[in-house]
Amino acid sequence: MISGASRSGRASIRGVELAYELAGPTRGTPLVWGHGLTSSRADEDGGTLIDWPAVTARARVLRYDARGHGESGLTTEPRAYGWDALALDQLELAGEAGVEAYVAGGASLGAATALHAAVAAPDRVVGLVLAIPPTGWETRAEQTDIYERMARVVERAGVEPLIAAASGLPTPDPFVGRPEWDERRALAMRAAEPDRLAAVFRGAATANLPPREVVALVEAPTLILAWSGDAGHPVSSAEALVELMPHAELSVARSWDDLGRWTDRLLGFLAAF
């Protein structure tokens, strides 16, 4: 059991060591947050998605590096990186931290993980914050092919060809005219070992959102934070989730100023718990 009001460390979870940090006041319902594919807590701390010091000043937050990411351990079985499997990691880690009922949140891979956690344990996940939901269902097939090709490129030639190819892709609308998006993506890729990247890319190729009919049964209040101009995280995914989920609200960032309001939206949502 993880003990202590605020701490960081490693916990043995389902056969792998996960690096985590637990911070913030002990009152209120905790937030358990997961990062995106190829990202990490350190990467998010250097980014602009959420102002984590502002959040942990007011809310209890458990953040962690998913398996194969950041400071956490690596496994090579692709199915271990499926979003449903990562949700089991999250639920067990939260239990180790003494967190039973919580708001599950995350960005991209972290958002999909949170949604699967809500499906697997509706008695524990009392709210959801889904930032930049990824492709899902029938739109997922094309993306999974891309991830398999990316894994092969990394194994054969390292990360530089991927970084070069990514520089030619459209930038999400909030980052148009700003260097942050491409710079952070390149830093995250170069910080990871090629075998770790190949493993998580292959895992991403096995992942999908829960079936629509299952998502429609999720009763937890849900805040969905999307941005426009990103084919890997299309607004259509967020809109489909809002249509399915009975207690979901959607906010779409189309500019840098819109993105800057996400921390306040997150804190406002958490205050209701």
Side-chain angles (χ1 to χ4, degrees):
M1 177 73 70
I2 298 168
S3 61
S6 296
R7 62 165 297 174
S8 60
R10 300 171 70 86
S12 181
I13 303 295
R14 302 179 65 244
V16 70
E17 294 286 314
L18 296 185
Y20 69 88
E21 58 189 58
L22 182 63
T26 56
R27 65 183 182 273
T29 302
L31 169 68
V32 179
W33 182 270
H35 56 75
L37 185 70
T38 76
S39 186
S40 64
R41 292 168 298 143
D43 178 47
E44 287 195 329
D45 285 342
T48 55
L49 204 65
I50 300 293
D51 182 348
W52 287 112
V55 175
T56 56
R58 295 171 56 183
R60 188 74 163 163
V61 181
L62 173 63
R63 297 171 63 209
Y64 63 99
D65 292 341
R67 65 173 64 216
H69 294 76
E71 298 176 347
S72 289
L74 171 72
T75 48
T76 56
E77 169 53 45
R79 281 298 306 152
Y81 296 95
W83 296 331
D84 52 347
L86 295 179
L88 298 180
D89 287 353
Q90 180 183 111
L91 288 162
E92 186 169 320
L93 177 63
E96 283 291 307
V99 174
E100 291 305 318
Y102 66 92
V103 175
S108 188
L109 173 146
T113 298
L115 182 57
H116 273 280
V119 168
D123 55 328
R124 293 184 60 193
V125 178
V126 298
L128 286 166
V129 180
L130 309 180
I132 52 172
T135 55
W137 305 303
E138 67 277 356
T139 66
R140 188 70 189 163
E142 181 179 353
Q143 194 70 28
T144 58
D145 290 343
I146 291 172
Y147 285 134
E148 178 57 37
R149 292 199 298 271
M150 291 170 74
R152 292 197 296 268
V153 168
V154 168
E155 289 171 332
R156 184 173 62 249
V159 301
E160 294 304 324
L162 292 185
I163 293 171
S167 67
L169 297 175
T171 301
D173 289 341
F175 294 94
V176 170
R178 306 185 65 94
E180 289 92 336
W181 179 253
D182 287 333
E183 289 177 353
R184 284 187 55 234
R185 181 166 50 189
L187 282 172
M189 297 276 275
R190 291 183 177 121
E193 298 171 0
D195 61 336
R196 293 169 71 88
L197 279 177
V200 300
F201 286 146
R202 283 218 166 80
T206 74
N208 208 335
L209 298 177
R212 284 185 171 87
E213 61 272 19
V214 175
V215 173
L217 299 176
V218 174
E219 293 286 340
T222 301
L223 172 64
I224 302 177
L225 300 170
W227 60 34
S228 56
D230 183 352
H233 308 88
V235 173
S236 60
S237 288
E239 291 173 338
L241 290 169
V242 169
E243 290 178 4
L244 288 169
M245 303 175 77
H247 306 295
E249 59 179 292
L250 171 62
S251 176
V252 179
R254 303 184 186 279
S255 69
W256 182 254
D257 288 344
D258 290 343
L259 189 62
R261 299 185 184 98
W262 278 12
T263 297
D264 287 341
R265 291 188 182 279
L266 171 61
L267 285 169
F269 183 77
L270 294 176
F273 295 89

